Amino acid sequence: MEQLVPMVRALTEKAEVSEVSEVGTAVIGAAGLATLGDGLRAELPGALAREFGVRTVALAADAVIAYVGALGARPGAAVAGGTGLIAIGTDLAGWRRADGWGHLLGDCGGGAWIGRAGLEAALRAYDGRDGGSVALLSCAEGQFGAMSGLPGRLYPRSDRAAVLASFAPRVAECAPDDPVAAGILRAAARHIAESAGAVCPTGGEPHIALTGGLFKMGEALLTPLHEELAKRLPWARPVAAEGDPLDGAVRIARDLAAGDLVLPCDDVMLSVVGPGEPKGTR
């Protein structure tokens, strides 16, 4: 609430809402809500009601608002890629997710995963081991300094996932002329397609979209990824993402306020508390 109160007040002022109490519906999308959000689900709706008079609150995993921003309220699958990576799909009866387990246990194919693989290849070249890349070694030394001191500079950092991900664009830059870098991106594409395949509905013609900064890395990643998706999900229809996660949160709020929410609700991925709670969706 220490973070939310000033944010809500600033947003209502920007939107020229004269009274905060006019806000009847709120949607909050948060990273980690699906696995670590029990406390938020228990306390936040009541706190927002006391502070602002909010009557209906939806708490959504960040992957859910990314999905809705990309595809709206239709069956399909979305892959949200940035520092990490998660795939989420729905047939409008329930949600399925794959990966999103963080850079130590998963997020395979995401920015931190690509950056770590690139730095491993750089260190292999530094050591003279097989599988190394001189091109990636040069990039790594340019970005991080001497390789001998890299572990000491990286391991203690609380933001090491972001630091690893910062090297992913260098891998993409090297890929056109470096087979090791190209191989890393092909492996990332396979991981991403595997996650998409695990969540995509198998009936009908579901749509599939990619969303997030990872997919701004260009054709070095997108070309093998589209090939993998076509091979693994020939029944799915690739589409461009309609919007970003903020657009998704706004759409959920609008649908909730109008009583038109058709997305599946549960106690993990998307939960709704208040008079706007959809009936018969749990």
Side-chain angles (χ1 to χ4, degrees):
M1 290 301 293
E2 290 177 359
Q3 297 180 54
L4 281 175
V5 168
M7 290 170 61
V8 172
R9 295 196 186 282
L11 287 170
T12 52
E13 289 177 8
K14 186 176 181 180
E16 298 182 350
V17 176
S18 58
E19 296 291 338
V20 174
S21 60
E22 294 178 23
V23 180
T25 302
V27 175
I28 298 173
L33 191 64
T35 51
L36 303 172
D38 288 346
L40 284 177
R41 281 185 286 271
E43 299 178 14
L44 201 52
L48 289 172
R50 290 190 299 273
E51 185 72 30
F52 300 116
V54 175
R55 296 179 297 280
T56 302
V57 178
L59 299 178
D62 56 344
V64 169
I65 60 172
Y67 180 99
V68 179
L71 291 176
R74 57 188 175 189
V79 179
T83 296
L85 187 128
I86 187 170
I88 183 169
T90 183
D91 55 4
L92 299 186
W95 294 100
R96 294 189 66 183
R97 59 164 284 178
D99 213 337
W101 301 120
H103 75 288
L104 293 178
L105 298 177
D107 286 354
C108 298
W113 186 96
I114 292 171
R116 189 212 60 78
L119 288 172
E120 180 187 347
L123 288 167
R124 284 180 173 274
Y126 179 80
D127 291 342
R129 291 179 288 149
D130 291 343
S133 165
V134 174
L136 289 173
L137 174 58
S138 176
C139 288
E141 289 175 333
Q143 182 168 340
F144 297 106
M147 289 292 95
S148 59
L150 180 61
R153 293 193 297 272
L154 176 64
Y155 292 166
R157 295 185 60 148
S158 60
D159 63 343
R160 58 184 173 270
V163 176
L164 290 170
S166 73
F167 193 64
R170 307 290 85 74
V171 178
E173 291 169 5
C174 290
D177 302 308
D178 182 70
V180 173
I184 291 170
L185 294 183
R186 283 194 301 271
R190 287 193 296 272
H191 285 304
I192 296 168
E194 286 170 357
S195 292
V199 303
C200 189
T202 56
E205 189 183 13
H207 291 187
I208 183 167
L210 307 174
T211 182
L214 178 70
F215 304 110
K216 296 178 182 178
M217 286 175 56
E219 293 305 312
L221 174 63
L222 293 177
T223 294
L225 177 53
H226 289 313
E227 292 172 354
E228 289 290 334
L229 289 172
K231 181 169 63 177
R232 293 178 180 275
L233 299 166
W235 66 91
R237 177 185 172 191
V239 297
E242 295 176 355
D244 61 19
L246 181 57
D247 296 316
V250 171
R251 174 161 185 165
I252 294 172
R254 187 172 62 242
D255 289 351
L256 262 180
D260 294 332
L261 187 70
V262 298
L263 295 166
C265 293
D266 54 29
D267 293 324
V268 176
M269 302 303 292
L270 175 62
S271 58
V272 179
V273 177
E277 182 175 354
K279 302 297 189 291
T281 56
R282 289 188 176 275

